[in-house]
mmCIF file of all heavy atoms in Angstrom:
data_model
loop_
_atom_site.group_PDB
_atom_site.id
_atom_site.type_symbol
_atom_site.label_atom_id
_atom_site.label_comp_id
_atom_site.label_asym_id
_atom_site.label_seq_id
_atom_site.Cartn_x
_atom_site.Cartn_y
_atom_site.Cartn_z
ATOM 1 N N LEU E 9 3.341 15.095 3.196
ATOM 2 C CA LEU E 9 2.778 13.852 3.728
ATOM 3 C C LEU E 9 3.336 13.586 5.116
ATOM 4 O O LEU E 9 2.609 13.181 6.024
ATOM 5 C CB LEU E 9 3.126 12.670 2.803
ATOM 6 C CG LEU E 9 2.247 12.438 1.578
ATOM 7 C CD1 LEU E 9 2.818 11.283 0.738
ATOM 8 C CD2 LEU E 9 0.809 12.126 1.988
ATOM 9 N N ILE E 10 4.643 13.816 5.301
ATOM 10 C CA ILE E 10 5.270 13.594 6.611
ATOM 11 C C ILE E 10 4.682 14.561 7.636
ATOM 12 O O ILE E 10 4.359 14.181 8.757
ATOM 13 C CB ILE E 10 6.807 13.760 6.518
ATOM 14 C CG1 ILE E 10 7.406 12.640 5.663
ATOM 15 C CG2 ILE E 10 7.442 13.773 7.910
ATOM 16 C CD1 ILE E 10 8.884 12.820 5.322
ATOM 17 N N ARG E 11 4.518 15.812 7.239
ATOM 18 C CA ARG E 11 4.001 16.808 8.168
ATOM 19 C C ARG E 11 2.557 16.508 8.596
ATOM 20 O O ARG E 11 2.197 16.688 9.762
ATOM 21 C CB ARG E 11 4.068 18.203 7.517
ATOM 22 C CG ARG E 11 4.073 19.342 8.552
ATOM 23 C CD ARG E 11 3.508 20.634 7.984
ATOM 24 N NE ARG E 11 4.198 21.149 6.827
ATOM 25 C CZ ARG E 11 5.282 21.939 6.867
ATOM 26 N NH1 ARG E 11 5.802 22.275 8.017
ATOM 27 N NH2 ARG E 11 5.816 22.382 5.752
ATOM 28 N N THR E 12 1.745 16.045 7.639
ATOM 29 C CA THR E 12 0.311 15.894 7.929
ATOM 30 C C THR E 12 -0.068 14.489 8.382
ATOM 31 O O THR E 12 -1.179 14.297 8.874
ATOM 32 C CB THR E 12 -0.533 16.244 6.678
ATOM 33 O OG1 THR E 12 -0.090 15.423 5.585
ATOM 34 C CG2 THR E 12 -0.360 17.710 6.303
ATOM 35 N N HIS E 13 0.809 13.526 8.220
ATOM 36 C CA HIS E 13 0.477 12.141 8.581
ATOM 37 C C HIS E 13 1.386 11.670 9.706
ATOM 38 O O HIS E 13 2.425 11.060 9.473
ATOM 39 C CB HIS E 13 0.615 11.214 7.369
ATOM 40 C CG HIS E 13 -0.443 11.415 6.329
ATOM 41 N ND1 HIS E 13 -0.591 12.598 5.638
ATOM 42 C CD2 HIS E 13 -1.412 10.586 5.859
ATOM 43 C CE1 HIS E 13 -1.602 12.488 4.793
ATOM 44 N NE2 HIS E 13 -2.118 11.277 4.904
ATOM 45 N N GLN E 14 0.968 11.968 10.930
ATOM 46 C CA GLN E 14 1.746 11.573 12.098
ATOM 47 C C GLN E 14 0.956 10.569 12.940
ATOM 48 O O GLN E 14 -0.243 10.705 13.075
ATOM 49 C CB GLN E 14 2.107 12.814 12.930
ATOM 50 C CG GLN E 14 3.158 13.688 12.260
ATOM 51 C CD GLN E 14 4.519 13.032 12.223
ATOM 52 O OE1 GLN E 14 4.890 12.313 13.141
ATOM 53 N NE2 GLN E 14 5.268 13.258 11.160
ATOM 54 N N PRO E 15 1.604 9.577 13.538
ATOM 55 C CA PRO E 15 3.050 9.371 13.491
ATOM 56 C C PRO E 15 3.549 8.793 12.162
ATOM 57 O O PRO E 15 2.838 8.057 11.492
ATOM 58 C CB PRO E 15 3.295 8.368 14.632
ATOM 59 C CG PRO E 15 2.004 7.619 14.771
ATOM 60 C CD PRO E 15 0.921 8.586 14.400
ATOM 61 N N CYS E 16 4.796 9.165 11.825
ATOM 62 C CA CYS E 16 5.459 8.625 10.639
ATOM 63 C C CYS E 16 6.514 7.616 11.097
ATOM 64 O O CYS E 16 7.356 7.922 11.942
ATOM 65 C CB CYS E 16 6.109 9.761 9.848
ATOM 66 S SG CYS E 16 7.214 9.190 8.525
ATOM 67 N N VAL E 17 6.445 6.426 10.550
ATOM 68 C CA VAL E 17 7.429 5.379 10.831
ATOM 69 C C VAL E 17 8.206 5.123 9.547
ATOM 70 O O VAL E 17 7.623 5.121 8.453
ATOM 71 C CB VAL E 17 6.731 4.088 11.315
ATOM 72 C CG1 VAL E 17 7.715 2.931 11.429
ATOM 73 C CG2 VAL E 17 6.030 4.335 12.658
ATOM 74 N N VAL E 18 9.518 4.942 9.665
ATOM 75 C CA VAL E 18 10.364 4.751 8.482
ATOM 76 C C VAL E 18 10.865 3.307 8.445
ATOM 77 O O VAL E 18 11.228 2.742 9.484
ATOM 78 C CB VAL E 18 11.555 5.732 8.502
ATOM 79 C CG1 VAL E 18 12.481 5.499 7.312
ATOM 80 C CG2 VAL E 18 11.055 7.173 8.512
ATOM 81 N N ARG E 94 8.695 8.806 14.232
ATOM 82 C CA ARG E 94 8.521 8.096 15.489
ATOM 83 C C ARG E 94 9.644 7.086 15.717
ATOM 84 O O ARG E 94 10.213 7.002 16.797
ATOM 85 C CB ARG E 94 7.159 7.373 15.493
ATOM 86 C CG ARG E 94 6.919 6.438 16.671
ATOM 87 C CD ARG E 94 6.740 7.160 17.988
ATOM 88 N NE ARG E 94 5.586 8.064 17.969
ATOM 89 C CZ ARG E 94 4.333 7.698 18.281
ATOM 90 N NH1 ARG E 94 4.089 6.466 18.669
ATOM 91 N NH2 ARG E 94 3.351 8.576 18.237
ATOM 92 N N GLN E 177 3.794 -3.598 15.253
ATOM 93 C CA GLN E 177 2.996 -2.609 15.996
ATOM 94 C C GLN E 177 3.192 -1.208 15.419
ATOM 95 O O GLN E 177 2.221 -0.466 15.226
ATOM 96 C CB GLN E 177 3.417 -2.594 17.470
ATOM 97 C CG GLN E 177 2.847 -3.748 18.280
ATOM 98 C CD GLN E 177 3.476 -3.826 19.673
ATOM 99 O OE1 GLN E 177 4.377 -3.049 20.000
ATOM 100 N NE2 GLN E 177 3.000 -4.768 20.467
ATOM 101 N N LEU E 178 4.442 -0.861 15.135
ATOM 102 C CA LEU E 178 4.727 0.467 14.581
ATOM 103 C C LEU E 178 4.063 0.644 13.217
ATOM 104 O O LEU E 178 3.514 1.702 12.914
ATOM 105 C CB LEU E 178 6.242 0.670 14.461
ATOM 106 C CG LEU E 178 6.981 0.945 15.773
ATOM 107 C CD1 LEU E 178 8.489 0.767 15.587
ATOM 108 C CD2 LEU E 178 6.663 2.340 16.301
ATOM 109 N N ALA E 179 4.108 -0.409 12.393
ATOM 110 C CA ALA E 179 3.489 -0.332 11.060
ATOM 111 C C ALA E 179 1.988 -0.093 11.181
ATOM 112 O O ALA E 179 1.384 0.617 10.377
ATOM 113 C CB ALA E 179 3.771 -1.603 10.270
ATOM 114 N N ARG E 180 1.374 -0.679 12.226
ATOM 115 C CA ARG E 180 -0.079 -0.534 12.388
ATOM 116 C C ARG E 180 -0.481 0.846 12.891
ATOM 117 O O ARG E 180 -1.532 1.361 12.513
ATOM 118 C CB ARG E 180 -0.598 -1.598 13.364
ATOM 119 C CG ARG E 180 -0.657 -2.963 12.730
ATOM 120 C CD ARG E 180 -1.266 -3.987 13.662
ATOM 121 N NE ARG E 180 -1.123 -5.324 13.085
ATOM 122 C CZ ARG E 180 -0.850 -6.409 13.789
ATOM 123 N NH1 ARG E 180 -0.716 -6.335 15.104
ATOM 124 N NH2 ARG E 180 -0.725 -7.573 13.187
ATOM 125 N N ILE E 181 0.342 1.449 13.759
ATOM 126 C CA ILE E 181 -0.043 2.773 14.276
ATOM 127 C C ILE E 181 0.399 3.898 13.335
ATOM 128 O O ILE E 181 -0.034 5.035 13.490
ATOM 129 C CB ILE E 181 0.537 3.050 15.677
ATOM 130 C CG1 ILE E 181 2.065 3.034 15.634
ATOM 131 C CG2 ILE E 181 -0.013 2.064 16.711
ATOM 132 C CD1 ILE E 181 2.681 3.980 16.640
ATOM 133 N N ALA E 182 1.267 3.569 12.355
ATOM 134 C CA ALA E 182 1.788 4.616 11.472
ATOM 135 C C ALA E 182 0.669 5.206 10.617
ATOM 136 O O ALA E 182 -0.064 4.478 9.961
ATOM 137 C CB ALA E 182 2.883 4.043 10.575
ATOM 138 N N ARG E 183 0.546 6.544 10.623
ATOM 139 C CA ARG E 183 -0.356 7.191 9.652
ATOM 140 C C ARG E 183 0.384 7.298 8.313
ATOM 141 O O ARG E 183 -0.221 7.369 7.265
ATOM 142 C CB ARG E 183 -0.797 8.569 10.140
ATOM 143 C CG ARG E 183 -1.711 8.572 11.358
ATOM 144 C CD ARG E 183 -2.998 7.771 11.160
ATOM 145 N NE ARG E 183 -2.800 6.336 11.432
ATOM 146 C CZ ARG E 183 -3.540 5.352 10.961
ATOM 147 N NH1 ARG E 183 -4.540 5.623 10.159
ATOM 148 N NH2 ARG E 183 -3.292 4.103 11.264
ATOM 149 N N LEU E 184 1.729 7.320 8.419
ATOM 150 C CA LEU E 184 2.549 7.250 7.203
ATOM 151 C C LEU E 184 3.682 6.262 7.433
ATOM 152 O O LEU E 184 4.430 6.383 8.407
ATOM 153 C CB LEU E 184 3.139 8.627 6.854
ATOM 154 C CG LEU E 184 4.040 8.645 5.600
ATOM 155 C CD1 LEU E 184 3.210 8.397 4.335
ATOM 156 C CD2 LEU E 184 4.786 9.978 5.480
ATOM 157 N N LEU E 185 3.788 5.270 6.558
ATOM 158 C CA LEU E 185 4.960 4.395 6.549
ATOM 159 C C LEU E 185 5.820 4.835 5.363
ATOM 160 O O LEU E 185 5.402 4.748 4.208
ATOM 161 C CB LEU E 185 4.565 2.924 6.408
ATOM 162 C CG LEU E 185 5.754 1.943 6.437
ATOM 163 C CD1 LEU E 185 6.373 1.862 7.835
ATOM 164 C CD2 LEU E 185 5.336 0.543 5.986
ATOM 165 N N LEU E 186 7.002 5.351 5.684
ATOM 166 C CA LEU E 186 7.926 5.817 4.643
ATOM 167 C C LEU E 186 9.000 4.758 4.436
ATOM 168 O O LEU E 186 9.814 4.505 5.323
ATOM 169 C CB LEU E 186 8.554 7.154 5.070
ATOM 170 C CG LEU E 186 9.697 7.693 4.207
ATOM 171 C CD1 LEU E 186 9.266 7.885 2.760
ATOM 172 C CD2 LEU E 186 10.224 9.005 4.798
ATOM 173 N N ASP E 203 0.420 -4.111 6.601
ATOM 174 C CA ASP E 203 -0.117 -3.813 7.935
ATOM 175 C C ASP E 203 -0.557 -2.352 8.027
ATOM 176 O O ASP E 203 -1.617 -2.047 8.577
ATOM 177 C CB ASP E 203 0.937 -4.096 9.019
ATOM 178 C CG ASP E 203 1.224 -5.585 9.171
ATOM 179 O OD1 ASP E 203 0.286 -6.387 9.000
ATOM 180 O OD2 ASP E 203 2.383 -5.931 9.448
ATOM 181 N N THR E 204 0.266 -1.458 7.498
ATOM 182 C CA THR E 204 -0.073 -0.028 7.542
ATOM 183 C C THR E 204 -1.328 0.258 6.722
ATOM 184 O O THR E 204 -2.261 0.920 7.197
ATOM 185 C CB THR E 204 1.101 0.817 6.988
ATOM 186 O OG1 THR E 204 2.249 0.597 7.811
ATOM 187 C CG2 THR E 204 0.764 2.303 6.997
ATOM 188 N N LEU E 205 -1.370 -0.263 5.498
ATOM 189 C CA LEU E 205 -2.504 0.011 4.614
ATOM 190 C C LEU E 205 -3.799 -0.555 5.196
ATOM 191 O O LEU E 205 -4.839 0.096 5.178
ATOM 192 C CB LEU E 205 -2.241 -0.585 3.219
ATOM 193 C CG LEU E 205 -1.123 0.092 2.419
ATOM 194 C CD1 LEU E 205 -0.763 -0.731 1.187
ATOM 195 C CD2 LEU E 205 -1.536 1.508 2.010
ATOM 196 N N ARG E 206 -3.715 -1.749 5.773
ATOM 197 C CA ARG E 206 -4.906 -2.388 6.331
ATOM 198 C C ARG E 206 -5.452 -1.594 7.513
ATOM 199 O O ARG E 206 -6.648 -1.593 7.774
ATOM 200 C CB ARG E 206 -4.574 -3.831 6.742
ATOM 201 C CG ARG E 206 -5.779 -4.743 6.718
ATOM 202 C CD ARG E 206 -5.401 -6.169 7.061
ATOM 203 N NE ARG E 206 -4.621 -6.806 6.009
ATOM 204 C CZ ARG E 206 -3.680 -7.722 6.231
ATOM 205 N NH1 ARG E 206 -3.383 -8.095 7.460
ATOM 206 N NH2 ARG E 206 -3.025 -8.264 5.226
ATOM 207 N N ALA E 207 -4.541 -0.924 8.247
ATOM 208 C CA ALA E 207 -4.963 -0.116 9.400
ATOM 209 C C ALA E 207 -5.370 1.301 8.978
ATOM 210 O O ALA E 207 -5.594 2.161 9.828
ATOM 211 C CB ALA E 207 -3.833 -0.064 10.432
ATOM 212 N N GLY E 208 -5.446 1.553 7.686
ATOM 213 C CA GLY E 208 -5.899 2.855 7.206
ATOM 214 C C GLY E 208 -4.795 3.880 7.046
ATOM 215 O O GLY E 208 -5.072 5.060 6.809
ATOM 216 N N GLY E 209 -3.553 3.452 7.194
ATOM 217 C CA GLY E 209 -2.419 4.367 7.046
ATOM 218 C C GLY E 209 -2.037 4.557 5.583
ATOM 219 O O GLY E 209 -2.575 3.900 4.690
ATOM 220 N N THR E 210 -1.095 5.454 5.372
ATOM 221 C CA THR E 210 -0.641 5.818 4.025
ATOM 222 C C THR E 210 0.790 5.340 3.829
ATOM 223 O O THR E 210 1.567 5.282 4.783
ATOM 224 C CB THR E 210 -0.732 7.352 3.852
ATOM 225 O OG1 THR E 210 -2.104 7.733 3.970
ATOM 226 C CG2 THR E 210 -0.201 7.804 2.505
ATOM 227 N N LEU E 211 1.117 5.012 2.595
ATOM 228 C CA LEU E 211 2.424 4.482 2.262
ATOM 229 C C LEU E 211 3.141 5.422 1.292
ATOM 230 O O LEU E 211 2.533 5.927 0.351
ATOM 231 C CB LEU E 211 2.230 3.101 1.614
ATOM 232 C CG LEU E 211 3.437 2.303 1.156
ATOM 233 C CD1 LEU E 211 4.320 1.935 2.345
ATOM 234 C CD2 LEU E 211 2.967 1.041 0.421
ATOM 235 N N ALA E 212 4.434 5.673 1.559
ATOM 236 C CA ALA E 212 5.274 6.429 0.619
ATOM 237 C C ALA E 212 6.586 5.679 0.452
ATOM 238 O O ALA E 212 7.071 5.043 1.390
ATOM 239 C CB ALA E 212 5.518 7.846 1.124
ATOM 240 N N ALA E 226 0.888 6.321 -1.849
ATOM 241 C CA ALA E 226 0.429 7.669 -2.192
ATOM 242 C C ALA E 226 1.469 8.351 -3.068
ATOM 243 O O ALA E 226 1.144 9.198 -3.891
ATOM 244 C CB ALA E 226 0.192 8.480 -0.916
#
Side-chain angles (χ1 to χ4, degrees):
L9 277 176
I10 293 171
R11 202 206 301 274
T12 56
H13 289 63
Q14 288 291 325
C16 169
V17 172
V18 177
R94 172 70 61 88
Q177 282 170 357
L178 285 165
R180 285 184 188 142
I181 61 148
R183 292 302 84 203
L184 179 68
L185 182 70
L186 171 58
D203 291 326
T204 299
L205 292 169
R206 207 177 290 148
T210 297
L211 180 64

